[in-house]
Amino acid sequence: MRDVAEAETSVWAGELRISGLSSGASRRLAAAARRLQVPRDAVVFGPGDPGDALFVVVRGRVRLERRAEGAREFAPALLGPGDVFGELTVFDPSPRGATARALTGTELLCVGSARLRAVLAAEPDAAWQLLGLLARRLRGAHAATETLLAADLPTRLARTLLELSARFGERTEAGLLVRHGLTQSQLALHAGVSRGSVNRVLTGFAERRLVRVGSRAVLITDEGGLRAQARQGPGGSGWSGAESGSSGSGGKPA
């Protein structure tokens, strides 16, 4: 871990339902974990770091970032409370391939490989539940690839907004409020487009009364219309927002 100091070594004993795990498995994993307090913009791990621990978000937001050689940076996942990350290299030891960055002041649980194996030995069902999580991550990665191959930018952004709404959306009288906590530059990374393109497309969505844009949030006022936009482009007829990034199921493993 690069910019993260362990603020407290005491075990976090609160009640947290970890995405994809039963309440019993969640408690066992939390009991085996160290608690970390991570400041805003701190890097939890980066490319080349040892992959020797699994992390769970207790509070705050964490973004996974990737950059292929000679290509634009993109952000395949935005994670919130209950989401797991960093699990792939625990099962398949290798250096990290992504950067995990705290977007806010964040609290994490950190479970090392040895402790994780002990938990899985004591709770065999948890191993199957983690395999289910990895399978959902794979489906999410396929959906993300379809989105990046979409024929037009509005389709990409519509899918990204619906993906974020599945994880962070809140029903209100005015519509579906998505407090994603991202700047327009950060939102552009998730959609795989430039910041200027995001601004233009959001303006177009607002003119069509699909959304209203706020600071680090968006209100989806016409969910049906936005979903119709998301179905455009290659692979659009088979796309489902539920498969592309809700509750820890979307994005690519770190």
Side-chain angles (χ1 to χ4, degrees):
M1 290 176 285
R2 296 186 174 184
D3 301 339
V4 180
E6 187 170 339
E8 299 184 30
T9 57
S10 59
V11 173
W12 181 80
E15 185 66 27
L16 175 70
R17 182 64 179 269
I18 298 173
S19 177
L21 300 187
S22 67
S23 57
S26 295
R27 284 193 296 270
R28 282 185 179 271
L29 201 62
R34 295 176 293 128
R35 185 174 67 175
L36 301 175
Q37 300 289 347
V38 186
R40 180 177 179 175
D41 291 328
V43 172
V44 181
F45 59 72
D49 286 352
D52 55 359
L54 170 151
F55 297 88
V56 182
V57 181
V58 177
R59 175 182 57 82
R61 296 276 193 274
V62 172
R63 185 179 71 199
L64 300 183
E65 306 167 354
R66 286 181 177 269
R67 185 191 297 274
E69 186 174 353
R72 177 187 297 167
E73 179 184 14
F74 71 103
L78 178 65
L79 308 173
D83 286 337
V84 177
F85 66 100
E87 77 289 342
L88 183 60
T89 53
V90 171
F91 293 103
D92 180 22
S94 59
R96 303 285 188 187
T99 297
R101 185 185 305 276
L103 291 184
T104 64
T106 301
E107 184 176 349
L108 300 177
L109 298 181
C110 175
V111 186
S113 299
R115 288 194 174 190
L116 179 60
R117 285 194 294 269
V119 170
L120 297 183
E123 187 100 21
D125 285 348
W128 284 103
Q129 292 163 16
L130 282 174
L131 286 174
L133 173 64
L134 289 172
R136 292 190 294 276
R137 287 276 173 87
L138 182 59
R139 288 199 301 271
H142 290 163
T145 300
E146 286 187 355
T147 295
L148 289 174
L149 293 175
D152 57 75
L153 300 184
T155 298
R156 290 190 194 182
L157 189 55
R159 294 182 184 183
T160 297
L161 292 177
L162 289 170
E163 173 186 323
L164 292 171
S165 75
R167 183 66 185 90
F168 303 109
E170 174 188 346
R171 297 284 177 187
T172 70
E173 291 184 0
L176 183 56
L177 178 61
V178 186
R179 293 190 178 96
H180 49 68
L182 301 172
T183 66
Q184 285 201 4
S185 295
Q186 292 165 345
L187 184 59
L189 291 179
H190 281 267
V193 300
S194 68
R195 184 190 183 285
S197 296
V198 164
N199 185 56
R200 288 193 298 274
V201 174
L202 284 176
T203 298
F205 284 176
E207 290 173 349
R208 292 163 57 189
R209 298 186 179 180
L210 301 179
V211 304
R212 282 160 42 191
V213 181
S215 176
R216 298 176 184 259
V218 63
L219 178 68
I220 300 176
T221 53
D222 183 356
E223 189 174 351
L226 195 64
R227 289 192 179 278
Q229 176 66 68
R231 288 192 291 270
Q232 303 300 314
S237 60
W239 179 83
S240 168
E243 291 187 358
S244 61
S246 63
S247 196
S249 62
K252 296 182 181 180

